């Protein structure tokens, strides 16, 4: 069955960097687009980024553009989110999620991980 | 951007009750709406897609309806294992979520 396991979360000071990883198993990873979604404390879910199955297309929410980068390594079945210049408002539980098709227009999230907690604090 | 407004934010009901959660879109999204169930410490699960299609393995006590801008998720015969936060998501234009509805047992 599909399994997504996030790692790399932690406590970091404002302005610093962190890289989240998502290990995928139970499906043909290279076939599907992947997303990152986050949930700040007490808030609803917020979409963060999407990447196509081959990694050639990617999009990020406006609030993280230029700071966060989604990427993937299909040879390792891994999804990544490189987060630079972190801000207090980036504090959240970050989920990786699988879509139901291959491109960045695939936006139905049919499997999710349990999340990785990122706390930005001075 | 398409805004999604979910109500209520918290719902308290008894085991066996029928509960309904509403999600409104700021503009028409046709039937491109999904519902997810999220429990603390667990991966969120897809319940319903295309407004009314039940995801595989989901209990038939869950049902979705609506189109355009108004959507509902109904849980019949509420069970203790249904205690969770429910999120609607539009995927007509990019991705946006509602604020979530926390379902509690009275």
């Amino acid at each position: 069955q599909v399994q997504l396991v996030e790692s790399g979360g932690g406590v970091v000071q404002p302005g610093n960097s962190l890289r989240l990883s998502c290990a995928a198993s139970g499906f043909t990873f290279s076939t599907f687009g992947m997303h990152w979604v986050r949930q700040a404390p007490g808030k609803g879910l917020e979409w963060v980024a999407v990447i196509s199955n081959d990694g050639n297309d990617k999009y990020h929410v406006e609030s993280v553009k230029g700071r966060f980068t989604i990427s993937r390594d299909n040879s390792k079945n891994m999804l990544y989110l490189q987060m630079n210049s972190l801000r207090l408002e980036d504090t959240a539980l970050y989920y990786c999620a699988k879509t139901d098709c291959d491109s960045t227009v695939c936006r139905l999230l049919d499997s999710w991980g349990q999340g990785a907690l990122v706390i930005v604090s001075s | 951007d398409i805004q999604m407004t979910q109500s209520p934010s918290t719902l308290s009901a008894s085991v066996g009750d029928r509960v309904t959660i509403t999600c409104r879109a700021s503009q028409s999204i046709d039937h491109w709406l999904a519902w997810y169930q999220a429990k603390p410490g667990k991966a969120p699960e897809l319940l319903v897609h295309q407004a009314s299609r039940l995801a595989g393995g989901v209990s038939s006590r869950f049902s979705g309806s609506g189109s355009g801008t108004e959507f509902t998720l109904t849980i019949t015969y509420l069970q203790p294992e249904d205690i969770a936060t429910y999120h609607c998501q539009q995927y007509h234009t990019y991705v946006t979520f509602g604020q979530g509805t926390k379902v509690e047992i009275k």
Side-chain angles (χ1 to χ4, degrees):
Chain A
Q1 85 233 27
V2 173
Q3 192 168 14
L4 299 169
V5 180
E6 300 93 339
S7 61
V11 181
V12 62
Q13 290 188 328
N16 284 1
S17 300
L18 210 57
R19 188 177 83 156
L20 300 182
S21 301
C22 173
S25 60
F27 66 103
T28 306
F29 182 68
S30 60
T31 305
F32 296 95
M34 297 291 294
H35 292 249
W36 287 100
V37 175
R38 67 184 178 182
Q39 185 169 27
K43 305 277 187 169
L45 295 168
E46 179 187 31
W47 174 79
V48 175
V50 59
I51 188 167
S52 60
N53 67 312
D54 58 8
N56 288 337
D57 288 327
K58 54 186 77 172
Y59 296 94
H60 302 78
V61 70
E62 195 64 38
S63 60
V64 309
K65 275 182 186 174
R67 300 189 300 121
F68 290 12
T69 303
I70 188 172
S71 63
R72 65 192 296 161
D73 185 338
N74 286 345
S75 68
K76 296 180 180 177
N77 288 353
M78 294 293 294
L79 176 73
Y80 304 103
L81 185 67
Q82 178 65 44
M83 302 185 294
N84 299 331
S85 303
L86 281 159
R87 302 170 180 169
L88 297 176
E89 57 265 32
D90 295 319
T91 293
L93 186 61
Y94 285 75
Y95 297 100
C96 68
K98 169 189 167 292
T99 68
D100 61 339
C101 56
D102 59 355
S103 75
T104 55
V105 299
C106 305
R107 297 183 285 263
L108 179 65
L109 309 176
D110 62 6
S111 296
W112 298 57
Q114 293 185 331
L117 184 60
V118 173
I119 299 173
V120 184
S121 174
S122 53
Chain B
D1 289 5
I2 298 177
Q3 309 300 320
M4 304 301 293
T5 303
Q6 230 179 296
S7 60
S9 55
T10 306
L11 187 159
S12 185
S14 300
V15 171
D17 280 355
R18 174 189 174 104
V19 302
T20 299
I21 301 168
T22 299
C23 191
R24 288 187 175 88
S26 58
Q27 63 189 73
S28 177
I29 57 170
D30 298 323
H31 58 280
W32 301 110
L33 184 104
W35 291 96
Y36 301 90
Q37 179 191 66
K39 297 181 181 180
K42 297 188 73 177
E45 290 189 10
L46 175 65
L47 296 176
V48 172
H49 61 99
Q50 290 185 55
S52 61
R53 296 179 181 237
L54 222 56
V58 174
S59 169
S60 57
R61 294 184 297 100
F62 291 91
S63 63
S65 64
S67 66
T69 61
E70 288 241 359
F71 302 86
T72 59
L73 175 71
T74 300
I75 311 172
T76 54
Y77 306 110
L78 186 71
Q79 297 298 300
E81 60 265 30
D82 300 333
I83 300 311
T85 299
Y86 294 85
H87 302 271
C88 65
Q89 175 221 344
Q90 68 81 18
Y91 53 111
H92 177 276
T93 306
Y94 304 112
V95 170
T96 46
F97 295 90
Q99 306 96 312
T101 296
K102 188 174 184 180
V103 174
E104 301 172 337
I105 294 288
K106 199 182 291 184

